[in-house]
Amino acid sequence: MTESRTQGGYRLMAVHAHPDDESSKGAATSAKYAAEGNEVLIVTLTGGERGDILNPAMDRPGIKERMSEVRKEEMAKAAAALGVEQTWLGFVDSGLPEGDPLPPLPEGSFATLPVEVPTEKLVALVRKFRPHVMITYDEHGGYPHPDHIMCHKVSVAAFEAAGDPAAFPDAGEPWTVSKLYYTHGFIRDRMVLFSEEFEKNGQESPFADWLSKWDPSRGDLMGRVTTQVECAEYFPQRDDALRAHATQIDPNGMFFAVPLEWQERLWPTEEYELAQTRVTTAIPETDLFTGVSLDDETVGVGEQATS
């Protein structure tokens, strides 16, 4: 297993579809790196305007009518809890279509746009911030929300284009990102471990129904994980960030079902898949910046190394 570097001064960009995604996917990692003296920028692609109110305590007059403003306020509180910077890319939430057949997505919403439109905006931001590492979702979006799948496509395209002088020449000076990761949160092994702990303590597992319906054809996400970042010390900040998204996160819901002490003791890491790298590393990793040197900050397209 590769050793963790301890030096600060690196730059991490995490690209997410909606406000609250940054708090449920890799939040403790973001808080850890920020606390260690690195620059962490959360990029939120849409405003979450079409989100439902998922916390009964927030289902009250005046909230749904000003959802866009409320979610911006929540995002600011979450970013403060994590100690990170955050910016909006300015696209409109597509919503989660329901029905059979599924209705069309709203015209002009994020997932309906040509990929190159948001890609150019993200490339401009990458070239301005100059991250060493980017984080996004895998090809399934983490779960099949159209905005999450679009987020994957746009993030990968921006990772590939940012260092190419011929791509989007009006979007700033080229910058080559060293590594691209996918974040993986719905790990079956993790749910099994917590379920066993509930049983040991004579309690019913809140994941029993979810595990009983597990479809083996979905594959083993742990088989894709290359990198586990130990960040249990920052789980409380993660939870504060989650609670900040009060319209979306029920404090009595599944995110808080497992006692914090169990999480810190049994599964103190967050999981990632190294999707692309332009630097030499070795798998498994314990640090997203493994192999990245601050002494060699180059622009332009670099040679891609194998992991």
Side-chain angles (χ1 to χ4, degrees):
M1 183 172 287
T2 55
E3 294 295 321
S4 258
R5 44 96 244 157
T6 56
Q7 179 184 8
Y10 292 85
R11 293 183 295 277
L12 174 66
M13 175 183 283
V15 186
H16 291 283
H18 310 105
D20 81 71
D21 289 327
E22 84 297 326
S23 297
S24 60
K25 302 166 186 67
T29 299
S30 294
K32 168 189 169 72
Y33 283 130
E36 290 175 350
N38 305 287
E39 294 181 65
V40 179
L41 178 64
I42 304 296
V43 182
T44 313
L45 301 183
T46 81
E49 300 90 345
R50 291 191 168 93
D52 294 321
I53 297 176
L54 303 177
N55 176 8
M58 290 296 289
D59 192 4
R60 55 180 192 256
I63 299 296
K64 188 70 174 176
E65 293 77 9
R66 53 188 292 269
M67 183 63 86
S68 179
E69 182 182 348
V70 168
R71 298 203 72 177
K72 283 183 169 59
E73 293 167 354
E74 292 175 345
M75 182 68 250
K77 293 176 183 177
L82 297 175
V84 302
E85 297 299 314
Q86 184 270 340
T87 192
W88 305 89
L89 214 61
F91 296 99
V92 177
D93 186 357
S94 304
L96 184 60
E98 295 180 331
D100 187 13
L102 291 174
L105 296 176
E107 185 177 352
S109 63
F110 177 58
T112 69
L113 300 174
V115 172
E116 60 269 20
V117 173
T119 297
E120 182 169 13
K121 289 193 72 171
L122 185 56
V123 164
L125 191 56
V126 168
R127 289 174 176 173
K128 180 180 179 181
F129 182 66
R130 293 157 57 103
H132 300 98
V133 171
M134 288 176 65
I135 298 172
T136 191
Y137 316 137
D138 69 8
E139 66 278 10
H140 304 297
Y143 78 105
H145 189 297
D147 284 342
H148 281 239
I149 294 170
M150 185 67 156
C151 178
H152 162 80
K153 293 176 181 177
V154 170
S155 300
V156 172
F159 173 85
E160 294 172 348
D164 183 356
F168 308 111
D170 297 328
E173 290 295 316
W175 171 257
T176 299
V177 185
S178 294
K179 300 167 91 174
L180 174 69
Y181 286 92
Y182 300 153
T183 179
H184 288 306
F186 296 105
I187 305 289
R188 184 179 184 275
D189 291 357
R190 182 171 175 267
M191 302 303 182
V192 169
L193 195 62
F194 291 153
S195 286
E196 291 172 349
E197 192 70 12
F198 276 105
E199 291 168 9
K200 287 178 188 176
N201 286 271
Q203 302 175 43
E204 183 178 349
S205 169
F207 308 116
D209 185 58
W210 186 82
L211 288 169
S212 70
K213 295 175 181 175
W214 176 263
D215 180 2
S217 68
R218 294 176 61 182
D220 176 19
L221 280 181
M222 275 306 292
R224 296 182 58 165
V225 168
T226 61
T227 311
Q228 292 184 275
V229 177
E230 189 159 333
C231 50
E233 180 182 349
Y234 301 92
F235 286 175
Q237 283 178 250
R238 173 206 63 192
D239 288 356
D240 286 345
L242 281 167
R243 282 187 285 264
H245 291 286
T247 60
Q248 305 302 300
I249 307 295
D250 183 350
N252 299 309
M254 290 289 284
F255 279 112
F256 304 100
V258 181
L260 195 59
E261 184 275 326
W262 294 5
Q263 297 181 55
E264 294 169 340
R265 173 168 50 88
L266 297 173
W267 200 285
T269 58
E270 290 180 337
E271 282 63 48
Y272 299 89
E273 174 185 351
L274 180 58
Q276 295 192 53
T277 181
R278 296 185 171 106
V279 298
T280 301
T281 186
I283 303 302
E285 300 173 318
T286 59
D287 183 358
L288 301 182
F289 295 109
T290 298
V292 179
S293 173
L294 291 180
D295 298 327
D296 184 29
E297 292 213 349
T298 58
V299 296
V301 176
E303 292 298 319
Q304 182 159 309
T306 57
S307 55

